[in-house]
Amino acid sequence: MGANFSSCVYDDGDSGSMRPRLGDIPESCVALVLMYLDPPDICKLAGLNRAFRHASFADFVWESKLPLNYKFIVEKAFEDDIGSSVAELGKRDIYARLCKHNLFDNGTKEIWLDKRTGGVCMAISSKALRITGIDDRRYWNHISTEESRFHTVAYLHQIWWLQVEGDIDFQFPQGTYSVFFRLHLGRSSKKLGRRVCKTEHIHGWDIKPAKFQLTTSDGQRAVSHTHLDSPGHWILYHVGNFVSKNSNDLMNIKFSLTQIDCTHTKGGLCVDSVLICNSSDVRKEV
């Protein structure tokens, strides 16, 4: 079978040979095959020849990879340039742009698609969260850092009552989603080109666990309790999962981080963002 396939794909050097070659496959047939491949594989095969390259631009190929409610996502991701330029984009170009990290809501939120699966991922900056005491510099301040996709994090010096809340209204494509807080104990910086982490403010996290909570507008709820640890490392703390049953339903997702035991203070915490992503696209790396 392998020999027969090879003879169909490659010319054996005989100028009189009439055997079909890969380039003889009609573009429409190639496009039908590409529909069943993952986006990275489609892009690789596009380099084989002209037929594969042209077929890889077929709208119906990429529309099958886009979320069912991709038009809603496009409005969010391209809110600054919605108009004729976006309307003229082909489905492949829309998919490529959505796979980039797109800021919206005055740069406090970011949305993108997983390149391989097309799953929706979203990050919400600390500046879009409601943090008790954030305006009092005795407790909190915003610091610039290259370690955040938003280039800034909220840093806690010391407080008795920790309460960080947020919410988002969004049409999530059908599927199961995971919610995480991205946190870091200690304040990192660069010194002589090397990363260093100041830990002198870290205290109070080993006494009692922090509480993470998630609720949705359709009644779903998740609660977890976790001790914050691993100073010097960014950690994704799992809040919980929720299920979107209809891609066209506008869901309100609320999430929170609290540690309100006032018998002791706690400090030395960086709050970067909240991450929401399709559970099949969760990565261990942060």
Side-chain angles (χ1 to χ4, degrees), residues 62-74 91 94-95 98-99 111-114 117-121 170-174 177 247-248 278:
W62 291 97
E63 191 155 15
S64 67
K65 310 302 176 187
L66 287 164
L68 291 177
N69 64 340
Y70 75 89
K71 292 182 180 179
F72 172 84
I73 299 173
V74 164
K91 298 299 188 294
I94 290 175
Y95 190 92
L98 287 178
C99 286
I111 188 170
W112 67 97
L113 299 184
D114 182 271
T117 67
V120 170
C121 300
F170 199 80
Q171 292 180 10
F172 290 93
Q174 187 174 353
Y177 292 83
S247 301
N248 295 317
N278 194 289

Side-chain angles (χ1 to χ4, degrees), residues 216-229:
T216 69
S217 53
D218 62 356
Q220 300 177 64
R221 186 170 183 268
V223 179
S224 62
H225 297 82
T226 307
H227 283 280
L228 306 188
D229 54 15

Side-chain angles (χ1 to χ4, degrees), residues 67-210:
L68 291 177
N69 64 340
Y70 75 89
K71 292 182 180 179
F72 172 84
I73 299 173
V74 164
E75 289 180 1
K76 291 289 186 181
F78 307 158
E79 64 180 7
D80 293 333
D81 57 358
I82 285 292
S84 58
S85 60
V86 174
E88 295 171 359
L89 291 176
K91 298 299 188 294
R92 171 172 163 154
D93 292 328
I94 290 175
Y95 190 92
R97 285 192 60 175
L98 287 178
C99 286
K100 297 179 180 179
H101 291 242
N102 301 279
L103 292 169
F104 69 102
D105 198 7
N106 296 317
T108 62
K109 299 180 180 70
E110 194 174 66
I111 188 170
W112 67 97
L113 299 184
D114 182 271
K115 292 181 180 180
R116 177 165 291 277
T117 67
V120 170
C121 300
M122 180 186 300
I124 302 170
S125 166
S126 60
K127 287 192 173 182
L129 303 177
R130 297 182 297 277
I131 303 176
T132 300
I134 190 64
D135 296 324
D136 193 328
R137 293 180 65 86
R138 293 175 299 172
Y139 307 125
W140 292 90
N141 69 304
H142 289 285
I143 59 175
S144 300
T145 174
E146 297 177 356
E147 298 183 1
S148 168
R149 66 178 74 249
F150 298 102
H151 306 294
T152 183
V153 299
Y155 180 70
L156 171 65
H157 297 283
Q158 178 174 284
I159 205 166
W160 293 90
W161 181 288
L162 173 70
Q163 188 167 10
V164 182
E165 300 176 332
D167 68 284
I168 182 75
D169 291 307
F170 199 80
Q171 292 180 10
F172 290 93
Q174 187 174 353
T176 301
Y177 292 83
S178 299
V179 181
F180 301 88
F181 270 88
R182 187 172 188 260
L183 308 175
H184 180 283
L185 288 181
R187 179 171 177 172
S188 63
S189 62
K190 288 286 186 69
K191 187 175 183 179
L192 300 177
R194 298 182 61 182
R195 183 181 189 270
V196 294
C197 181
K198 298 179 180 179
T199 61
E200 62 268 22
H201 291 152
I202 301 175
H203 68 281
W205 306 110
D206 57 341
I207 299 175
K208 286 194 175 180

